[in-house]
Structure formats: C-alpha cells, structure tokens
Amino acid sequence: MIDLNEIVKGARRAVIAGHVRPDGDAVGACIGLMLYLEQIAPGLEIKVCLEDFSDSFRFLEGMDKITPPALCPRRCDVFFAVDTAAKDRLGDALPLFEEAALTVCIDHHISDPGYAMINEVDADASSASEVVCRLMTETGKITPGCANALYLGIVHDSGQFNYSCTSPDTMRMAAMLMEKGASYEMIIDRTFREKTLTEQRIMGAALANSVSAFGGRLLYSVLDGETLQKYGAAHKDLDGISSQLRTTKGVDVSFLLSESEPGIWKASLRAGEKVDVNRVAAVFGGGGHVRAAGCTLTGSAAEAEAQLKEQIGLLLQTQE
C-alpha cells in the first residue's frame, strides 16, 4: 500500500484529477483526497481538476479548489489520477499528467493497466473513494468534510451498497466515515432522491422511448443531440438512467446511448449478476467494471446501436 505522507514529502504543488464526465465516485474521491492532504501536508498547494459535474454534489466542502486544467500549474510535483482507468480519460488534464515530476494512480477499475509511476489499483474495491479511504492511515485527520466526500463516492459506486462490489470492508469504511461526521442521510437525499425537473423529464423521455431486445434481457434507450436540446439537458443530467433501465424485471443488461457531439455517442452500460459488460465496453476501447462500464462509439445512432447490440447478443448467448 502506498504511503501518502512519503509521496507528498517535500512537494510544493499537487494536482488531483478525475476522469471525463465525473460521477459521484470521481468527485468524492478527488475532493476527499484533497481535504486529507491539506491536513497531513499544510504547506502543499493543491488544485483539483474536474470537468463539470452534477450540481447535487456541490454541497461538498472544497468546491473552491476545483480549477480548470488551463489554470493549474503546468509543472506540478505530484499528479494524482483518481478513479481513472486510462490516462486518456483525464481529458484536458492529460498534459498536466504528462509534465508532472511524479504521477500517482489511485483506482479500482479492472481495466486499469497501471499507467502512472506509482499505482494503487484494487479491482475488488467498491470505489476509488474506498481505495483513497484505505490510504488515510492518519484517521484522526479525516475531517467531517473529507468524510462526506468519501462517503458520497462509496455510496454512488456501490449503488447505495446494493451492488456486488460491496464487501464487508466497504461497510466498515462507511461506518468509520459516519463516525468521522459524514452526513449520510443528507448525502442520500441530495444525490439520489432529489432530482431537478430537467433530470426527471429526460429520465421520463429515456424510459418512454426505451427498446427491449433479446426476449426482454436487454433494455436500452437512445438520446440524440436534438432530444437533449429539446429538454435542455446536459450530459450531467443523465446520471442514473442506465441503472434505472436495468431495474426492469427480466432485464440482464441495459445501456444508454447519448450523443455528446454530432456522430459521437457515449454508452453507459449496466448489468445484473450474469453478464460482464466490461467485456462489451472493451471491444470499443472503453472499460470499467463487471456490472458497470462505458465506452464511446462513432457514426449514426443506428450504427452505434447495432454495434452494441451485436456484442451484447454474443455475450448473452454464452449465458444461455
């Protein structure tokens, strides 16, 4: 296990970055790590590089430390890539990674090859936030704000402790964070139960236009740019749609295809116990986890849809 104290010893500048289109785990792990490093290394200048994310996460302490990559120090002493399975998933923060004196990857994706100088990757962990939490050996310096961020990350990637990635260690970590002051009820309310009207409407559109295939084992929806514009929805408003599709009775696999740019489609895949969607995402250069993965496809909506269906169909055949 890596030693955070040793990594930042003597460093003056650090950058922490997550993957493009950051979810709850990316945001929680990055913010939690930043707040902890502030406690153990008070003289360290820390910047967090994250793309735009759900407004429901903005109650977290440390939002003022989030900085666009263009304004981050080009030659930082330490660069932490968090919850990011491949360095190209760092987006605009990639040049900062490439120019850093020391690079550290903290992750839990099974597809992560260990691309940094120092790597702490645990594919059995529920979340990157759980991995970050495990590295916090000075638990007395975990503040309530830090606990909130890490608890948020854990509950989001574990599906509120419902996914198979939830282990006894996950529950122990969550309990410890509660003891450190995590406002668990507020976190669940703000980030799961509360939805903006735009989020509710785009969710409704996706469900209303969903398509069933393979005898009901697959359920998917496609949201093109025109539909997103119609509802005034951004990609940060789509969180949870693919998971909601998967909860339909009889469905083993679900996916949401959304058009990020003309002819460029982001696929979010979810699966039950029987299917490894990471294998599907890997075909298209993506990855993630056994039950949750993502990838990018190009072409028309029909082409992207057909390619995903083909690979999912082949995978489902092996489960029969």
Side-chain angles (χ1 to χ4, degrees), residues 135-153:
L135 299 176
M136 295 181 176
T137 52
E138 296 185 46
T139 56
K141 294 188 176 180
I142 298 177
T143 64
C146 177
N148 273 336
L150 295 174
Y151 191 93
L152 184 149

Side-chain angles (χ1 to χ4, degrees), residues 8-269:
V8 299
K9 186 176 181 180
R12 292 183 301 165
R13 293 184 179 132
V15 170
I16 302 171
H19 57 73
V20 294
R21 298 177 65 191
D23 57 7
D25 188 27
V27 174
C30 287
I31 295 295
L33 177 60
M34 182 267 292
L35 293 173
Y36 179 74
L37 291 179
E38 286 185 339
Q39 294 296 309
I40 68 169
L44 184 64
E45 177 189 333
I46 309 170
K47 300 292 185 183
V48 178
C49 289
L50 287 169
E51 287 186 357
D52 194 22
F53 49 82
S54 172
D55 290 339
S56 66
F57 304 150
R58 294 195 180 277
F59 68 89
L60 291 175
E61 180 186 338
M63 288 292 112
D64 58 317
K65 298 294 178 65
I66 296 177
T67 308
L71 300 180
C72 285
R74 299 295 295 183
R75 286 290 299 172
C76 65
D77 299 304
V78 187
F79 185 106
F80 292 93
V82 180
D83 193 35
T84 306
K87 64 181 183 179
D88 59 355
R89 293 274 291 157
L90 289 166
D92 291 340
L94 179 57
L96 306 180
F97 174 91
E98 300 285 9
E99 296 176 17
L102 177 65
T103 57
V104 182
C105 173
I106 303 175
D107 192 24
H108 71 125
H109 291 93
I110 194 171
S111 57
D112 192 318
Y115 53 86
M117 297 175 187
I118 298 174
N119 298 280
E120 184 73 29
V121 180
D122 182 359
D124 292 325
S126 67
S127 55
S129 293
E130 181 178 331
V131 181
V132 169
C133 190
R134 190 185 308 145
L135 299 176
M136 295 181 176
T137 52
E138 296 185 46
T139 56
K141 294 188 176 180
I142 298 177
T143 64
C146 177
N148 273 336
L150 295 174
Y151 191 93
L152 184 149
I154 290 173
V155 295
H156 272 261
D157 253 29
S158 69
Q160 298 179 70
F161 309 110
N162 286 320
Y163 295 164
S164 59
C165 62
T166 304
S167 69
D169 281 341
T170 308
M171 304 302 286
R172 280 187 279 268
M173 290 287 184
M176 183 272 289
L177 293 171
M178 290 169 65
E179 291 170 348
K180 295 296 180 182
S183 301
Y184 56 95
E185 289 181 302
M186 179 268 289
I187 290 169
I188 296 298
D189 279 339
R190 287 202 181 187
T191 67
F192 283 100
R193 298 193 182 109
E194 292 180 3
K195 298 288 184 183
T196 66
L197 185 56
T198 296
E199 288 172 327
Q200 297 283 37
R201 285 174 169 167
I202 199 65
M203 172 80 80
L207 296 177
N209 295 299
S210 59
V211 179
S212 180
F214 305 122
R217 298 183 69 190
L218 168 66
L219 187 65
Y220 67 92
S221 190
V222 180
L223 296 173
D224 59 21
E226 183 179 347
T227 302
L228 293 175
Q229 186 175 19
K230 173 184 175 181
Y231 288 94
H235 280 273
K236 66 179 181 178
D237 299 314
L238 309 182
D239 189 39
I241 294 179
S242 54
S243 295
Q244 187 63 39
L245 290 166
R246 225 292 300 159
T247 62
T248 306
K249 186 175 181 179
V251 172
D252 292 320
V253 187
S254 66
F255 70 78
L256 174 69
L257 265 180
S258 57
E259 193 173 21
S260 59
E261 298 176 37
I264 300 179
W265 301 86
K266 300 292 185 182
S268 175
L269 301 101

Side-chain angles (χ1 to χ4, degrees), residues 267 269 276-288 293-296 308:
L269 301 101
D276 179 357
V277 288
N278 182 60
R279 291 170 56 186
V280 175
V283 172
F284 305 103
C295 57
T296 301
L308 272 180

